Amino acid sequence: MGPWVSGSGYGPVFEPTFIAHVHYSVFVNPVLKSPANRLVWDMKSSLDTVTCTSPHGMVSLDSIHPQPATSPRLTEICVVSHAFSWAIRVSARDRSVGVTVEDVLTVLSRFFALPLGDRDIREAPPSHRAAVLASHQERISRSIGPSATCIYDWLLDRSIFGGLAHDPSHSRTDYLGRQGEVYFMLSLTAYPQV
């Protein structure tokens, strides 16, 4: 059956504190990681625009949404990135199943659509602040997302989902001072220049 079978009863679901404490290896669902099953999503756009392909063609999102996001299954993960300083906590909607692919995509979509704090904008280096505000204006001109300056404007042109990778180095160093988290590094890419 393999580790990516949907539903409860296909293996234990662990708390992140246990996994972090025993330094257990955690694997990311290939849909969220591998180029073989490539998830394509501009995170400035809605989840309705997500596509997924495999070497055999298009994959139905309905078939991948309920799959576990990790093996072993976890009740919660924390997503970080080199592109921003925030930590994004993804909790399982159903703790008996663990965090699913849909949980990850939904939380990321909601997080990046949040308004950017005035303090974040004010404290950004002047060149980045100007670029964020220009990114916001460009997005608004294309009628994408809310009218506020949002977190995904902070990403500038690097808003393409590039995958997740387990990052045990953060787990050991207690990133952001939290104990017992299991961290995943989010890669972001830019649209190819034409």
Side-chain angles (χ1 to χ4, degrees):
M1 283 195 165
W4 312 121
V5 176
S6 303
S8 61
Y10 292 104
V13 179
F14 292 105
E15 294 289 332
T17 51
F18 174 76
I19 297 296
H21 178 72
V22 297
H23 303 291
Y24 196 82
S25 294
V26 178
F27 300 94
V28 177
N29 187 315
V31 169
L32 295 173
K33 177 184 178 184
S34 171
N37 288 322
R38 187 76 179 133
L39 189 80
V40 180
W41 177 32
D42 180 348
M43 294 189 303
K44 290 183 181 179
S45 300
S46 76
L47 288 175
D48 296 336
T49 65
V50 175
T51 60
C52 185
T53 59
S54 75
H56 308 291
M58 296 297 289
V59 176
S60 163
L61 292 178
D62 290 338
S63 69
I64 63 168
H65 275 173
Q67 291 180 6
T70 64
S71 178
R73 296 171 185 225
L74 299 169
T75 59
E76 185 174 270
I77 64 172
C78 197
V79 177
V80 295
S81 178
H82 295 298
F84 51 81
S85 59
W86 305 286
I88 307 165
R89 183 166 285 134
V90 180
S91 297
R93 284 179 301 153
D94 181 346
R95 292 176 65 84
S96 70
V97 173
V99 175
T100 64
V101 170
E102 183 176 22
D103 293 337
V104 171
L105 297 179
T106 300
V107 168
L108 289 177
S109 177
R110 289 179 182 160
F111 177 81
F112 287 115
L114 290 172
L116 193 57
D118 291 337
R119 181 178 175 188
D120 292 312
I121 296 171
R122 190 175 53 253
E123 292 181 358
S127 61
H128 190 73
R129 182 181 327 120
V132 167
L133 296 174
S135 175
H136 169 248
Q137 289 304 315
E138 190 273 333
R139 178 178 57 78
I140 293 303
S141 73
R142 295 186 309 153
S143 300
I144 297 174
S147 60
T149 304
C150 296
I151 292 175
Y152 45 49
D153 295 318
W154 185 270
L155 304 176
L156 306 177
D157 65 341
R158 298 181 56 85
S159 62
I160 306 301
F161 181 84
L164 293 174
H166 180 223
D167 190 349
S169 65
H170 278 95
S171 299
R172 285 196 292 273
T173 58
D174 298 321
Y175 187 75
L176 297 180
R178 295 189 181 119
Q179 294 286 330
E181 299 279 358
V182 177
Y183 289 93
F184 292 84
M185 186 62 65
L186 171 64
S187 297
L188 301 167
T189 62
Y191 274 114
Q193 299 298 318
V194 230

